[in-house]
Amino acid sequence: MTRSRKRKLQRMCSKWAAMPLASALIAGATHAASDAADSGTLEEVVVTAQKRSEDLQKVPISMQVLGGDKLDQLQVTSFDDYAKFLPSVSFQTLGPGQAQLYFRGIASGGDGLHAGSASATGMYLDETPVTTIGNSIDLHVYDIERVEALAGPQGTLYGASSLSGTLRIITNKPDPTKFSAGYDVKGDKFSAGAGGGEFDGFVNIPLAENAAVRLVGYYERDGGYISNVPATRTYTRTSTDPTTYPDAPLTVNNASVVKNNFNDTETYGGRAALKVDLNDSWSITPMVLYQHQETNGTFGYDPLIGDLKVTDFVPESTDDHWYQTALTVEGKISNFDLVYSGGYFERNTRIASDYSEYSVAYDYYGNSRFRDNAGNLIDPTQAQLQTDRYTKLSQEIRLSSPATDRFRYTLGAFYQRQTDTIRDEYLINNLGNTPAYDFSVTGQANTLYLTQQERVDRDYAVFGDTTFDITSQLKLSAGIRGFVARNTLYGFFGFNNNYVDLDNGDNFSHGSGESSCFNAPAVGSNLPCVNTDKGIRESGQTHRVNLTYQVDSERMVYATYSTGFRPGGNNRRVGLAPYSSDTLSNYELGWKTGWFDHRLRFNGAVFYEKWKGVQLGVAGPNGITDIFNVGNATVKGIESDINWLALEDLDISASGTYVNARTTTDFCGEQTDKSQADYGQLLQSCPGAASAPAGSRLPVTPAFKANLTARYKFNVGDYKSFVQASVIHQSAANSALQSDVEAILGQTPGYTSADFSVGTAMGNWTSELYIENAFDERGQLNRYGECGADYCYQNARVIPIKPRIFGIKFGQKF
């Protein structure tokens, strides 16, 4: 009998007879939803959080799962769409593809610098990591089997970037047993903005009894809702020596970039996967995925200008394209399961931003007297162009003993090498670069400031995870992961060596930039010189101990102690020491329970976490961000989710998380007195008020976040119809850890939004109408400043949730 036929037979038999656990888990796979609905019970949810296929209710991990049907019902197409239904997840964002992801409040608010701290949260696509050093990818969600959100440190099985938790996106796999295909067409419009549309399609083609290919393609265009309105700006360009350099005010306008609803987004891509069962014991699944996303404008508005309005003076856009190739090999050696997963990921981003708020600040402080090569004063309006090329090569191999053994284990090894080629230019048109008027970085036309560096992060690990059934109801699990992390940073950052304020002779290099270079660049390089060549190596271990008690077939309780880590790294600034890894210890009591003959599922956990050596990015001398281990924090909380089939045709689901995340030590800040020897270093004691005193609330994460969804199904003649309502709520959150910055930016206030949909289906087609954020609540996801607190945080901008949007959707399955 072929492997595919065996699996099909197991799925059929598991509904009617008791089977070994491994077979029963396989049986509960992806398409159980319709069967569960027909039988009047909740569907069984199969997950692979412990790198085995298991029933969610048997996995002693606090996790939330959004299955493929649920993702479709909730109109999920992007990261923001599913993150709002995961209450343990919080994030900072500047727009599509620019989010930093966190679990349970483990956030300092200082991440995202590409030469700074690594991500605190792991992101996986199937078996391979796609966590980038900068921001998380924003995968278009279509033909996805499920999203798994694993809260708490997952360092034993998932490694370095799973300090706060791990987010896993699992795709639908090729199926050799049958042909299937489908498509969806959608049109929508923001009530306060422009319209958009989407087309998605897939096809699953059996190539033979033991092989199939699955192809997926999509195109989406989102209309904008932020408007860039007309404005003028006058630079005074005041001189401290008006006799030699007279004042020369200049008024500029933004007419060339004025546009309504200018933050539109275009996303397209596809996926191809092949599955081949080589024999009854071995299979291979290669996959390639590509996505291209472009945006215009900005996704934040300025409350001082008006609702959903800004006054930008420079064109803004992003271009984010990436691909992943992956290979999974599964097989058996005797009765042991062997899995190899390897992948190569490459992402290229280009972000053009308005940086003119800095130009305003320079003008205010008398430092905007930039000249062209002829010595004429020029328009000091500044733009930023940031390009990154990320690569990630990862490989993992693991061997697992039979799942039915009383003592079972998984052993594995992992290797990862990720890079970021960073180029960050701060541009002023017509900027002088002659000996008499030298403002540009050497060899870089119009570039006032440049960061060009190569970052390489290497991770090596071996791990083991074991489980022993003490009795039929009580089991003990333990895991350990030994790791080595090596990080290097090489290149240049700063001003040129001659950038001098002509009025007062102040050299803006301030000991950085070309004035601090110690090597010439390599032949063929476009670096002006080299002032960064640093490396750090760390090693250690993370571990997990879990005790699980199966009260009966439907109810389980567990206790877990686990640890996680995030590697340290290198500071750019000359003379500043590297920062060390930060670690998290997690103490958790949880429950997984089912009630009323599988009609009610109630899961949850209470947790206490100790975060040591918190990494924080701080704006240091000359605006350069320095990374320090600033102290410790604790997080206490509870999270829970409920799924209730209240009536045969009424399904109610709810989930929520409460966290109390606060520092336990004072963060004093940096030495800002230039006359001191430790200028620019982390203060070990506070001469005055602490920048963030002990007891300060950690930023980004709301204290309470929850959602509730009710879906009622009914028939109208031969039409299978439904109505659905969802309510999403979160409380206020701090914008920054430092009290002085928080006082300027202010909190993101709490909000409540609601989504509604209604639809019908007959045969193989479905159609529905929906409205999201029905009451047009102006919820805030992030508040940020265009530049540092001592310059222009007073002009804080707001990243809102999407305004009210109306949509219609039609689809068919074959």
Side-chain angles (χ1 to χ4, degrees):
M1 183 181 292
T2 65
R3 189 178 187 186
S4 62
R5 287 180 177 175
K6 283 183 179 180
R7 288 178 175 170
K8 187 175 181 180
L9 181 61
Q10 287 172 340
R11 288 196 295 267
M12 295 170 60
C13 293
S14 66
K15 298 179 183 177
W16 311 109
M19 296 176 60
L21 178 60
S23 298
L25 292 173
I26 294 174
T30 314
H31 302 293
S34 60
D35 295 333
D38 292 342
S39 64
T41 62
L42 293 172
E43 65 172 296
E44 184 182 49
V45 180
V46 174
V47 297
T48 51
Q50 297 189 120
K51 303 200 173 181
R52 298 176 183 262
S53 292
E54 300 174 284
D55 181 355
L56 169 67
Q57 296 303 98
K58 309 298 183 184
V59 179
I61 295 175
S62 181
M63 59 185 298
Q64 293 151 347
V65 180
L66 298 175
D69 289 337
K70 193 75 169 180
L71 293 167
D72 185 58
Q73 293 167 8
L74 296 172
Q75 309 298 335
V76 169
T77 60
S78 67
F79 170 80
D80 289 13
D81 292 336
Y82 63 76
K84 70 182 183 181
F85 291 103
L86 299 173
S88 292
V89 171
S90 57
F91 62 97
Q92 277 186 311
T93 183
L94 293 176
Q98 300 185 68
Q100 289 288 315
L101 172 65
Y102 309 99
F103 281 84
R104 290 182 174 176
I106 302 300
S108 66
D111 297 335
L113 179 69
H114 299 185
S117 297
S119 174
T121 302
M123 178 175 279
Y124 276 66
L125 184 56
D126 291 322
E127 290 287 329
T128 53
V130 290
T131 316
T132 49
I133 297 169
N135 301 311
S136 301
I137 63 170
D138 193 354
L139 172 68
H140 179 83
V141 177
Y142 179 73
D143 195 47
I144 298 299
E145 182 176 332
R146 65 185 180 275
V147 173
E148 297 179 0
L150 285 61
Q154 306 293 324
T156 304
L157 289 177
Y158 292 98
S161 287
S162 291
L163 178 76
S164 74
T166 299
L167 185 74
R168 306 181 70 232
I169 302 173
I170 312 299
T171 62
N172 284 323
K173 305 303 187 293
D175 181 1
T177 66
K178 62 180 180 180
F179 171 87
S180 60
Y183 70 88
D184 290 286
V185 181
K186 182 169 71 174
D188 55 42
K189 185 182 183 305
F190 291 107
S191 62
E198 179 181 339
F199 178 83
D200 307 300
F202 81 93
V203 60
N204 182 88
I205 306 172
L207 303 177
E209 188 180 55
N210 65 328
V213 64
R214 194 176 191 95
L215 306 174
V216 179
Y218 52 85
Y219 174 84
E220 179 181 12
R221 182 175 181 82
D222 295 325
Y225 48 85
I226 304 289
S227 293
N228 193 27
V229 299
T232 60
R233 173 181 290 161
T234 298
Y235 296 107
T236 60
R237 301 190 293 185
T238 303
S239 173
T240 56
D241 184 2
T243 302
T244 306
Y245 300 104
D247 296 348
L250 174 68
T251 298
V252 298
N253 64 64
N254 66 345
S256 63
V257 291
V258 167
K259 186 178 180 181
N260 289 331
N261 308 319
F262 78 146
N263 64 319
D264 54 287
T265 303
E266 185 177 51
T267 306
Y268 57 88
R271 182 174 85 242
L274 172 69
K275 182 175 176 60
V276 180
D277 292 326
L278 302 175
N279 53 39
D280 288 351
S281 300
W282 290 87
S283 69
I284 60 172
T285 308
M287 183 189 76
V288 60
L289 190 155
Y290 172 80
Q291 179 170 296
H292 194 142
Q293 185 174 72
E294 297 180 6
T295 74
N296 293 302
T298 179
F299 288 78
Y301 70 92
D302 188 339
L304 298 180
I305 303 300
D307 184 38
L308 302 180
K309 291 181 173 64
V310 294
T311 52
D312 282 351
F313 284 74
V314 173
E316 296 190 279
S317 63
T318 70
D319 186 302
D320 181 358
H321 57 277
W322 55 271
Y323 71 88
Q324 184 205 30
T325 59
L327 173 66
T328 301
V329 180
E330 301 173 90
K332 280 189 173 295
I333 300 177
S334 183
N335 60 346
F336 287 77
D337 293 320
L338 181 71
V339 177
Y340 164 82
S341 60
Y344 180 78
F345 171 82
E346 181 175 321
R347 182 183 188 189
N348 291 273
T349 64
R350 180 185 186 277
I351 303 175
S353 304
D354 184 329
Y355 213 64
S356 61
E357 292 289 351
Y358 264 110
S359 301
V360 175
Y362 291 160
D363 186 66
Y364 177 81
Y365 290 104
N367 301 324
S368 65
R369 300 184 60 80
F370 304 115
R371 289 172 168 77
D372 61 18
N373 288 335
N376 302 309
L377 287 169
I378 60 175
D379 178 358
T381 300
Q382 190 172 174
Q384 180 187 12
L385 180 60
Q386 178 179 291
T387 58
D388 289 87
R389 177 179 178 266
Y390 305 98
T391 70
K392 181 190 291 284
L393 172 67
S394 63
Q395 299 187 75
E396 180 178 284
I397 188 167
R398 61 182 186 271
L399 183 71
S400 300
S401 63
T404 54
D405 288 356
R406 184 178 183 185
F407 176 76
R408 49 200 178 274
Y409 55 86
T410 296
L411 303 175
F414 174 81
Y415 166 74
Q416 176 177 272
R417 183 181 189 272
Q418 54 182 332
T419 69
D420 184 8
T421 301
I422 306 164
R423 183 172 172 86
D424 206 357
E425 305 165 78
Y426 298 83
L427 305 168
I428 299 176
N429 287 334
N430 303 313
L431 192 65
N433 60 355
T434 63
Y437 303 102
D438 191 3
F439 298 91
S440 298
V441 175
T442 300
Q444 315 288 326
N446 299 323
T447 304
L448 179 66
Y449 186 98
L450 173 69
T451 297
Q452 185 164 327
Q453 297 174 323
E454 182 74 22
R455 172 175 178 167
V456 182
D457 291 27
R458 306 167 184 86
D459 297 283
Y460 311 83
V462 292
F463 59 89
D465 195 83
T466 65
T467 299
F468 176 66
D469 295 335
I470 301 172
T471 69
S472 60
Q473 293 178 283
L474 185 65
K475 66 180 181 182
L476 177 67
S477 299
I480 190 169
R481 186 183 189 98
F483 66 86
V484 174
R486 293 176 54 229
N487 304 330
T488 59
L489 187 65
Y490 174 87
F492 172 83
F493 74 99
F495 298 102
N496 75 5
N497 194 39
N498 302 311
Y499 173 23
V500 177
D501 187 311
L502 298 181
D503 292 335
N504 55 33
D506 187 10
N507 188 308
F508 283 84
S509 292
H510 289 310
S512 64
E514 295 182 46
S515 66
S516 62
C517 283
F518 49 79
N519 271 333
V523 176
S525 168
N526 66 341
L527 289 172
C529 53
V530 177
N531 62 6
T532 303
D533 189 1
K534 295 186 174 184
I536 181 174
R537 181 185 184 277
E538 293 183 302
S539 62
Q541 65 181 25
T542 61
H543 44 272
R544 178 185 71 93
V545 179
N546 170 268
L547 188 65
T548 300
Y549 181 66
Q550 194 73 43
V551 179
D552 55 35
S553 62
E554 298 300 320
R555 284 164 280 275
M556 175 259 281
V557 293
Y558 68 88
T560 297
Y561 166 64
S562 60
T563 64
F565 82 103
R566 173 172 53 172
N570 301 286
N571 277 299
R572 294 177 292 169
R573 191 154 54 82
V574 176
L576 194 60
Y579 54 95
S580 302
S581 59
D582 48 2
T583 62
L584 190 69
S585 296
N586 174 59
Y587 306 85
E588 182 176 319
L589 296 174
W591 62 92
K592 301 283 182 76
T593 66
W595 305 86
F596 311 127
D597 296 325
H598 307 287
R599 298 182 65 90
L600 175 67
R601 185 162 52 231
F602 175 42
N603 300 338
V606 293
F607 53 87
Y608 173 70
E609 298 185 335
K610 298 173 67 175
W611 189 9
K612 294 184 178 180
V614 175
Q615 295 177 13
L616 176 66
V618 180
N622 218 29
I624 299 167
T625 300
D626 301 326
I627 315 295
F628 296 107
N629 299 98
V630 300
N632 305 326
T634 61
V635 180
K636 306 170 187 176
I638 182 171
E639 55 201 5
S640 182
D641 63 271
I642 299 173
N643 196 186
W644 180 30
L645 194 60
L647 301 171
E648 185 173 346
D649 296 314
L650 177 61
D651 191 321
I652 299 173
S653 59
S655 56
T657 297
Y658 169 79
V659 295
N660 182 6
R662 297 185 179 275
T663 61
T664 57
T665 55
D666 289 342
F667 164 47
C668 296
E670 281 187 291
Q671 174 61 267
T672 58
D673 187 345
K674 295 182 181 180
S675 66
Q676 300 299 312
D678 58 350
Y679 171 62
Q681 304 291 320
L682 182 66
L683 293 169
Q684 300 303 309
S685 60
C686 304
S691 180
S696 296
R697 183 176 169 186
L698 294 180
V700 180
T701 303
F704 181 66
K705 181 182 177 183
N707 63 83
L708 171 69
T709 298
R711 184 180 181 91
Y712 179 69
K713 297 182 296 182
F714 59 95
N715 292 336
V716 180
D718 293 332
Y719 294 88
K720 296 182 178 180
S721 306
F722 75 90
V723 292
Q724 178 177 287
S726 296
V727 178
I728 302 96
H729 171 79
Q730 69 177 50
S731 61
N734 282 17
S735 300
L737 178 61
Q738 301 96 311
S739 55
D740 56 337
V741 178
E742 174 65 19
I744 297 171
L745 285 180
Q747 288 188 328
T748 57
Y751 68 88
T752 302
S753 66
D755 302 341
F756 300 99
S757 59
V758 58
T760 191
M762 176 184 282
N764 69 346
W765 63 264
T766 60
S767 64
E768 57 187 288
L769 300 171
Y770 63 89
I771 178 172
E772 297 183 44
N773 193 8
F775 306 108
D776 205 24
E777 177 74 14
R778 197 66 72 237
Q780 297 184 13
L781 297 175
N782 189 20
R783 296 176 69 91
Y784 68 99
E786 293 288 273
C787 56
D790 55 343
Y791 278 77
C792 48
Y793 269 146
Q794 290 82 354
N795 297 70
R797 288 193 176 182
V798 171
I799 303 289
I801 63 173
K802 294 176 183 177
R804 179 171 52 225
I805 185 170
F806 300 92
I808 183 170
K809 182 178 177 182
F810 176 83
Q812 280 186 291
K813 295 280 194 301
F814 306 97

